[in-house]
Amino acid sequence: MTPLPALIDIRDDLARAIEETDGDDDLRSELRTVSDRLDAFEERDRADRGGIVDEVDNQLLRVEERLDDEAAARAVQSARNRLHIYRESRQQTDANLAVVDSTVRDSGGPGADEVVPVGEVTVAVTVANTGADTEIVPIVTFYDDRAAEVESVRGPEFALAGGEQAQFEFDADAPADATTHAISISDTGEVRT
């Protein structure tokens, strides 16, 4: 089973939206259904997980169009922004590689699920390789609270054996206005051969 990446664990945004829609039971029910769909993510293969993200995004769009409350609409838009960032980072990752998990934490400190610390950070990324032995380069992209890209940082090259999964760490400088991150992986081994 693949854990739900912190970037798209949008339950915090959904909880804020549910709290703001206390007068509309239909909207609250639909937002709870979205939260339940996220549970299916862990049980699906890579292709199916993309479909779940699309379903959740489409359902949130329908909810957003019906919302009258500004705070609830902002929470739903925040959730949708995070889904779009996740989708974009997946599209930038080579087909035989998958980011299993990633964290950004204060260098030497404990991991942070969603909050991006400011300044020097340690980026940890777990990558699965279904292809041949290769060299990979992780790229961490930082986004602000409006889902606008703030900065991208290219990590060093790492060797990753075919059919293996491994965790890699590197240091980066997180900008002050970064609120979330996404990781994409480039396969430099194929480029060289």
Side-chain angles (χ1 to χ4, degrees), residues 17-145:
I18 288 169
E19 188 176 302
E20 297 296 334
T21 57
D22 56 0
D24 191 331
D25 290 338
D26 289 340
L27 284 173
R28 290 175 71 126
S29 176
E30 200 160 344
L31 288 167
R32 286 190 184 103
T33 300
V34 169
S35 184
D36 293 342
R37 288 294 297 142
L38 294 173
D39 295 336
F41 184 93
E42 297 178 353
E43 301 162 4
R44 302 296 174 96
D45 64 24
R46 187 172 190 218
D48 287 345
R49 288 193 298 265
I52 289 171
V53 170
D54 291 342
E55 288 174 28
V56 167
D57 188 28
N58 288 334
Q59 189 167 2
L60 287 175
L61 175 60
R62 288 190 300 273
V63 168
E64 186 178 19
E65 290 171 347
R66 294 173 39 206
L67 286 172
D68 292 329
D69 184 90
E70 191 175 319
R74 275 195 313 272
V76 169
Q77 184 59 51
S78 173
R80 292 191 65 228
N81 286 344
R82 290 165 63 182
L83 295 173
H84 294 179
I85 291 168
Y86 173 78
R87 187 181 296 126
E88 184 178 309
S89 71
R90 278 185 42 139
Q91 290 170 347
Q92 293 173 356
T93 297
D94 290 314
N96 62 328
L97 300 171
V99 175
V100 177
D101 192 26
S102 68
T103 60
V104 173
R105 65 180 188 271
D106 284 322
S107 293
D113 287 338
E114 294 179 33
V115 177
V116 174
V118 176
E120 189 171 328
V121 296
T122 299
V123 178
V125 58
T126 302
V127 182
N129 179 7
T130 59
D133 293 359
T134 192
E135 298 281 326
I136 63 164
V137 173
I139 300 164
V140 60
T141 305
F142 296 102
Y143 297 87
D144 66 15
D145 59 354

